[in-house]
Amino acid sequence: MKRLYIGVASIVLALLCLTVRPSAAATQMVSLVYNGSPQSPQQIGSDEFRRRLAETAQGRIILDARAGNAMGSETAILAAMRSGVVDMATLSGSVVSSAVPEFGVFDVPFLFRDAAQAKAVADGPVGALFAKHFADKGLVLLAIGKQGFRNVTNSKRPIQTPADLKGLKIRVLPNEVYQMTFKALGAEVVPMEFTLVYSALKDGRIDGQENPVATIAASHLEEVQKYASLTGHFFAPIAFVANRDAFQTLTPADQAAIIAAAKAGAEATWKSGVAEETKKIEELRKGGMEIIEKVDRQPFIDAVKPLEPEFEKRFGKDLLARIRATP
């Protein structure tokens, strides 16, 4: 039996195991690592990935799934996967873009009108363009799922215009596009891994943060935040990713089974839609959070327009236009 990932306490042994490849007929043990609270998109997608793989691989592959910060932050998981300690991971797109900058086009603020447009881009020719960029980084992009549109929460005041963000310490991911966006909106930007956010909000080191509704609810941020404004400033994808070397040791049939399972996991995240988000908003409201649902996005869009030349330089004017034209 091949075991590509043993656990955090046995990283050296796991690395040694990568050099010992059994015959193609042997049962394969393949690792999948992700962070995410119960009912988070990462959990939903990974659960369906595991279920579908068990159904289609027919015992040829055993999936060793690890969740709940088993290896630390998503940045740490990505590093472990790129080094070969982890075979596969379900990761936030904004974290993946640190290794595959081209994937960061999903981070451009207000680029997507709604989830349907984002799905059309992810599943269509534009999404397919990213495969080569992942391969160049020693990775395989298996599928793209949905984490959701990101919204601002804080403990000080409702956010209805960019002026309301001025002076607030807002946590963002350690991601250049996120940081330049919130600086343009007037916030004091504090890059921070998400595992540290709850405690930083609780003790007042930061005033607010931004995340999809599902993440806000799953992390119980209503306990440490008073206001949530549904700004929908970024669309956040999820990337189902594999280490290329580990993936290429699998038989074509097993590769196909993993791709199909990842696509099923991604589809499960896309199907988690408006009804689920409405339910989570109500849960937050019952927990004491004031929800500002009707936010005029145009002033926010206007505030980040000066960044457009930088986005065109990074991702290409034609690609941005192609995404915006996607129905």
Side-chain angles (χ1 to χ4, degrees):
M1 179 181 290
K2 181 174 78 174
R3 187 173 179 82
L4 297 179
Y5 168 64
I6 306 299
V8 178
S10 305
I11 287 177
V12 173
L13 180 58
L15 286 170
L16 290 174
C17 286
L18 285 172
T19 66
V20 182
R21 302 295 181 184
S23 66
T27 299
Q28 312 280 328
M29 180 169 277
V30 180
S31 61
L32 171 68
V33 182
Y34 58 94
N35 285 351
S37 305
Q39 296 306 305
S40 67
Q42 282 92 333
Q43 181 79 55
I44 291 168
S46 298
D47 282 351
E48 181 60 20
F49 183 113
R50 179 171 46 193
R51 188 193 71 78
R52 187 63 64 92
L53 188 61
E55 183 180 274
T56 59
Q58 300 179 342
R60 299 192 312 275
I61 301 174
I62 297 174
L63 191 65
D64 180 13
R66 305 293 177 96
N69 302 315
M71 293 196 72
S73 68
E74 288 197 322
T75 300
I77 293 171
L78 176 62
M81 183 173 57
R82 295 189 71 191
S83 70
V85 176
V86 170
D87 301 326
M88 298 184 295
T90 307
L91 296 169
S92 300
S94 53
V95 171
V96 173
S97 66
S98 66
V100 187
E102 296 83 359
F103 200 66
V105 71
F106 281 99
D107 297 333
V108 173
F110 305 106
L111 182 60
F112 296 95
R113 297 183 302 275
D114 51 35
Q117 181 203 10
K119 188 175 191 302
V121 169
D123 291 347
V126 171
L129 289 174
F130 296 119
K132 180 181 183 301
H133 299 303
F134 276 74
D136 290 344
K137 304 298 182 180
L139 302 169
V140 178
L141 178 61
L142 303 170
I144 302 173
K146 180 193 76 172
Q147 193 169 22
F149 283 92
R150 300 176 76 95
N151 307 286
V152 183
T153 71
N154 83 102
S155 59
K156 301 295 185 182
R157 52 183 176 265
I159 303 300
Q160 294 177 309
T161 70
D164 297 324
L165 281 165
K166 188 173 182 180
L168 293 184
K169 295 179 181 178
I170 302 294
R171 174 267 176 180
V172 299
L173 280 160
N175 173 297
E176 286 186 4
V177 173
Y178 278 40
Q179 292 177 54
M180 68 174 68
T181 296
F182 270 82
K183 286 178 181 177
L185 291 172
E188 184 177 336
V189 173
V190 183
M192 183 184 293
E193 293 290 352
F194 188 67
T195 51
L196 305 174
V197 169
Y198 186 96
S199 61
L201 291 169
K202 187 174 183 179
D203 64 25
R205 281 177 288 153
I206 54 177
D207 300 313
Q209 60 85 58
E210 52 82 47
N211 256 302
V213 166
T215 303
I216 295 168
S219 304
H220 299 290
L221 295 189
E222 75 279 3
E223 298 172 353
V224 289
Q225 297 279 265
K226 176 62 178 174
Y227 306 99
S229 298
L230 304 188
T231 48
H233 46 274
F234 299 129
F235 173 78
I238 291 176
F240 293 74
V241 191
N243 174 282
R244 187 180 62 179
D245 290 342
F247 187 76
Q248 289 179 342
T249 66
L250 301 172
T251 66
D254 287 349
Q255 290 179 4
I258 284 175
I259 290 171
K263 289 185 180 299
E267 188 62 26
T269 67
W270 288 108
K271 287 181 178 177
S272 179
V274 174
E276 288 83 356
E277 182 160 303
T278 299
K279 180 180 177 180
K280 293 184 185 302
I281 287 172
E282 289 307 311
E283 290 173 1
L284 292 170
R285 189 175 277 121
K286 288 178 181 178
M289 185 174 273
E290 181 180 329
I291 311 296
I292 298 87
E293 295 190 62
K294 295 182 179 180
V295 178
D296 182 1
R297 300 201 332 165
Q298 193 58 50
F300 292 87
I301 294 171
D302 293 342
V304 300
K305 274 184 179 177
L307 299 177
E308 186 69 10
E310 175 62 26
F311 298 146
E312 290 177 354
K313 179 180 177 181
R314 285 174 179 244
F315 307 116
K317 186 174 182 178
D318 290 344
L319 179 60
L320 292 172
R322 188 174 178 182
I323 290 173
R324 290 187 173 110
T326 301

